[in-house]
Amino acid sequence: MFHLNFNPPVSTIKLSHENDIVFMGSCFSEHISQRLLELKFNVNSNAFGIVFNPISISTLLLNSIKLTSFNEKHFIEREGSWFHLDSHSQLHATTKSELNTLLNNLNLELHAKLKTAQWLFLTFGSAYVYEYVPSKSIVANCNKLPHTNFVKRLLTVNEIVESYSELVKELKSINPNLQVVFTVSPVKHLRDGIVENNLSKSVLIQSVHELVNNHSNCNYFPVYELVTDDLRDYRFFEADMAHPNKQSVNYVFDKFAMTYFSKKKKKINKDIIDINSALNHRPFNENSASHKTFKNAMLLKCKSLVNIYPFLNLKKEILFFGK
């Protein structure tokens, strides 16, 4: 046996295709949310791009709940484009006004999702933060500004717990049924240093467990432990020795499925995986009788699934196989 085969506790509350699901946090959260999107779940993932530190995540969520304007001091212009220090650099515009409109629209969309969502998955990447000197505030992204504009420091457990205790309270006020699931990213922030990375992860883990112990609607899914302690081998990492590879992500998602999917949901997911595989199939001869028979069989399968499960959106697939 090359790993421990650790099984997280099975959740009594299950994910459904009829749920709205929100993901925010580090890049590892995008791996899980992308798998759910491929399985036709209703997912809103990282509305403001990848965010690593928990304080910036909570700031963005609180801004969305209260529909607060974005910090004016955090709009910056660089090389002819405008960016905001509280969002990822992928969100930019040619003018400050355009960027402000873009961010406010995303804020409104996330606000609406938070009011209807059944699940909020939050993935913390690092407890190290950068404070922007002009505003004396923690930012999500330095956007390639000179390092002299920032002060780097390590968050304390108390800072994180206080911030999220307020956030959980605000979330309950707009959506009492929301389930919050915390995860800690297994991605190693080696540029901080090996010792420093472990210190950072320990702060995140202690903070999360204190929050889970204090709030009945908060839970923990052990992504970090599955990769770091269960698999525990660099064969499960990319060449940079920092990012989990595809095999590792597959393993984590299998454990995620065991935790959050019912038997019925696993059957639906298998059918959708078969349909996705068929979509990616490249025939030797598209006009052959065998390929037309194959497409017709998949079309009937899609229509049958939608008939049984009307909440599934297979319009694209039905259109493709119906050509």
Side-chain angles (χ1 to χ4, degrees), residues 211-276:
L211 288 164
V212 169
N213 290 335
N214 292 341
H215 302 280
S216 60
N217 67 325
C218 292
N219 300 279
Y220 179 63
F221 181 69
V223 174
Y224 178 82
E225 290 80 359
L226 283 167
V227 175
T228 305
D229 297 308
D230 186 349
L231 296 181
R232 196 178 177 83
D233 195 306
Y234 278 106
R235 81 181 80 175
F236 298 108
F237 283 79
E238 299 287 0
D240 64 2
M241 301 296 185
H243 290 80
N245 61 19
K246 185 176 180 180
Q247 186 179 7
S248 181
V249 174
N250 289 343
Y251 184 78
V252 171
F253 191 76
D254 286 345
K255 298 295 185 179
F256 183 92
M258 290 171 60
T259 302
Y260 292 108
F261 294 156
S262 65
K263 288 184 179 179
K264 177 182 176 182
K265 197 60 58 182
K266 290 174 184 176
K267 171 65 171 62
I268 298 173
N269 290 342
K270 184 180 183 306
D271 288 333
I272 295 173
I273 289 170
D274 291 343
I275 291 169
N276 288 338

Side-chain angles (χ1 to χ4, degrees), residues 48-111:
F48 301 100
I50 292 167
V51 181
F52 293 103
N53 81 76
I55 297 301
S56 289
I57 296 170
S58 67
T59 297
L60 287 167
L61 286 167
L62 285 168
N63 283 351
S64 289
I65 293 168
K66 300 177 181 180
L67 292 177
T68 306
S69 299
F70 280 75
N71 191 329
E72 276 290 322
K73 293 182 179 179
H74 290 181
F75 284 97
I76 62 162
E77 189 274 334
R78 175 169 56 80
E79 297 178 0
S81 292
W82 282 86
F83 302 85
H84 197 277
L85 298 177
D86 293 334
S87 68
H88 195 274
S89 56
Q90 69 190 31
L91 298 174
H92 57 85
T94 53
T95 68
K96 178 182 175 182
S97 176
E98 286 177 5
L99 179 59
N100 192 44
T101 299
L102 170 63
L103 293 175
N104 284 332
N105 287 340
L106 291 171
N107 221 17
L108 285 168
E109 290 176 19
L110 182 56
H111 177 84

Side-chain angles (χ1 to χ4, degrees), residues 17 39-41 268 272 305-306 309-315:
H17 284 91
L39 293 172
K40 302 299 179 180
F41 284 87
I268 298 173
I272 295 173
L305 276 174
V306 172
Y309 310 112
F311 49 80
L312 284 180
N313 182 0
L314 295 177
K315 293 178 181 178

Side-chain angles (χ1 to χ4, degrees), residues 21 30 33 35 57 66 77 98 125 179 183 211 256 296:
I21 307 166
E30 295 206 331
S33 61
R35 297 297 176 93
I57 296 170
K66 300 177 181 180
E77 189 274 334
E98 286 177 5
Q179 293 292 312
T183 66
L211 288 164
F256 183 92
N296 188 55

